Amino acid sequence: MDSVELPKRIFTLGEEPLPIKSIAYHTNDSKLFSAVKNALHDDEYEELKESRLGVFLKFKEMDFGWASWLVHYMLCFQLNIKKKYELWSLVGADPVRFSLIEFEQLIGLNCEYIEHLENPRCEVTNEMVSFWERIGVSVDAGPSSEQIIRALKRCQECLARLVMDLEKFENYPWGRVAFKVLMDSLRAKNFTKSYTVDGFIQVLQVWIYHALPELGANYENLLPNRPSPPLLSFKGGKRRKCFKDAISKHVISQNSTTYM
């Protein structure tokens, strides 16, 4: 069988830029997580952990080791593709894909299609307006992390109920939102300089461990009993290793993109 002609790399092989410093990101807000936990009773916090969005609390409690260099090199091994919401990296002779499919498999959040994703249409009731005004949040702009933290400290009892319709909140495709924020941010980055990524970039590190299972098993604290979702299956590692060589020498197995 003839080999398929692949798109060109974004960087020439062997000339990938060295990481200037660790990739900065905004998804490890210790103050926010602490404020949420302190505002809730133990049973309420455990209920939140078991909700669909509880995966972020569980991930935070793992004290995951962020390997910025590993993610940087995988990003620099990208192919120059036309699809806006896919990322393909060339490992050896094999391309490895990161798309909404892989993101959903790893993180376990609802990633279903919804119209008006960025500006969801919902009825703003007087009750909603009163609630947001009470905690000091703009109804139009929505809350920032700092506003949520201040609100949690100021009125703990009333904030056990953080949203008006819990069922709609649970079922909203937050996974699709998170994926879009991450990919839009990555597309705008210059990997030859220091850069900050919006969104849940740690999922890329876990994606690498699953896509390159030998690297994941040998380097990065694979947890027993196959935790679910797969995002929770590695502890990560902050040590700087020869990640570039390790990725380049990795051989992709046929099952390397199977997470479940």
Side-chain angles (χ1 to χ4, degrees):
M1 181 182 295
D2 295 334
S3 60
V4 177
E5 184 177 353
L6 297 173
K8 293 183 178 180
R9 297 170 179 264
I10 63 171
F11 295 106
T12 302
L13 181 63
E15 298 181 8
E16 299 84 1
L18 293 172
I20 296 176
K21 59 181 182 180
S22 180
I23 302 171
Y25 55 94
H26 303 298
T27 55
N28 189 26
D29 193 330
S30 298
K31 292 182 179 180
L32 176 59
F33 281 99
S34 297
V36 170
K37 189 169 186 177
N38 292 335
L40 301 176
H41 297 298
D42 290 344
D43 59 335
E44 293 169 341
Y45 183 75
E46 290 303 316
E47 182 179 353
L48 181 59
K49 275 180 62 176
E50 295 309 315
S51 71
R52 293 192 177 187
L53 291 175
V55 63
F56 294 113
L57 297 179
K58 294 175 181 178
F59 187 82
K60 172 65 178 177
E61 291 180 353
M62 288 174 59
D63 193 26
F64 184 80
W66 170 232
S68 173
W69 286 29
L70 174 63
V71 174
H72 171 80
Y73 281 125
M74 199 67 165
L75 291 173
C76 291
F77 287 162
Q78 281 186 80
L79 299 175
N80 188 9
I81 64 172
K82 295 181 180 180
K83 293 184 177 181
K84 184 177 180 180
Y85 292 108
E86 288 190 11
L87 182 158
W88 288 83
S89 292
L90 195 60
V91 178
D94 299 298
V96 183
R97 183 186 69 179
F98 179 78
S99 69
L100 183 64
I101 295 172
E102 287 75 30
F103 184 86
E104 182 177 17
Q105 289 176 331
L106 286 170
I107 204 167
L109 291 178
N110 181 7
C111 293
E112 294 179 357
Y113 173 78
I114 184 174
E115 292 186 3
H116 313 294
L117 182 68
E118 294 182 345
N119 297 293
R121 295 178 178 179
C122 65
E123 180 185 359
V124 180
T125 64
N126 291 333
E127 183 184 16
M128 291 174 64
V129 172
S130 175
F131 176 76
W132 289 118
E133 288 179 347
R134 183 180 179 186
I135 64 174
V137 170
S138 168
V139 177
D140 295 323
S144 65
S145 296
E146 291 76 13
Q147 288 174 326
I148 293 175
I149 291 170
R150 287 198 300 268
L152 287 166
K153 291 179 179 178
R154 188 171 62 248
C155 46
Q156 295 182 6
E157 293 301 322
C158 73
L159 288 175
R161 178 185 175 202
L162 291 174
V163 291
M164 294 297 106
D165 190 326
L166 292 175
E167 183 177 358
K168 286 185 178 179
F169 182 77
E170 281 271 340
N171 293 324
Y172 193 76
W174 295 113
R176 200 176 191 96
V177 174
F179 175 77
K180 185 178 185 303
V181 169
L182 175 62
M183 295 300 285
D184 284 344
S185 181
L186 287 173
R187 289 298 178 195
K189 300 308 169 189
N190 181 349
F191 301 122
T192 65
K193 301 179 180 180
S194 61
Y195 53 98
T196 299
V197 175
D198 298 321
F200 189 52
I201 191 173
Q202 294 95 325
V203 72
L204 287 179
Q205 186 174 334
V206 182
W207 163 66
I208 295 170
Y209 296 156
H210 284 280
L212 312 182
E214 183 179 334
L215 185 149
N218 291 339
Y219 287 91
E220 304 305 342
N221 299 323
L222 176 64
L223 298 176
N225 302 323
R226 298 178 64 87
S228 180
L231 177 72
L232 306 177
S233 57
F234 288 91
K235 286 278 290 182
K238 299 179 181 180
R239 294 161 293 178
R240 294 180 178 178
K241 304 184 181 70
C242 298
F243 283 132
K244 184 176 180 179
D245 290 339
I247 296 172
S248 300
K249 295 176 181 177
H250 196 94
V251 176
I252 304 297
S253 68
Q254 292 182 348
N255 298 321
S256 63
T257 56
T258 300
Y259 306 122
M260 307 305 288

